[in-house]
Amino acid sequence: MVQTDLARGQLVQLLPGYSLGARHYYALYPQTRYVAPKVRAFVDHMAEHYRER
């Protein structure tokens, strides 16, 4: 999310050898036969976004 700003020198990376490790995200919503299209779109978007990382 900040790679461009780091490359431009607008941000300075602190502790470059330190990593927080893997992050896990969960989407919780009521289990029903009908899932609102906006909820489904958001969950699909987030899944695709973080799958690429």
Side-chain angles (χ1 to χ4, degrees), residues 6-37:
L6 284 170
R8 289 181 186 156
Q10 293 174 327
L11 296 175
V12 178
Q13 187 175 9
L14 300 177
L15 305 171
Y18 182 78
S19 173
L20 294 175
R23 294 187 180 120
H24 302 279
Y25 299 94
Y26 300 90
L28 302 175
Y29 50 91
Q31 182 178 2
T32 64
R33 283 199 253 172
Y34 175 77
V35 176

Side-chain angles (χ1 to χ4, degrees), residues 2 4 6-7 13 15 27 36 49 52:
V2 297
T4 303
L6 284 170
Q13 187 175 9
L15 305 171
H49 177 76
E52 296 173 359

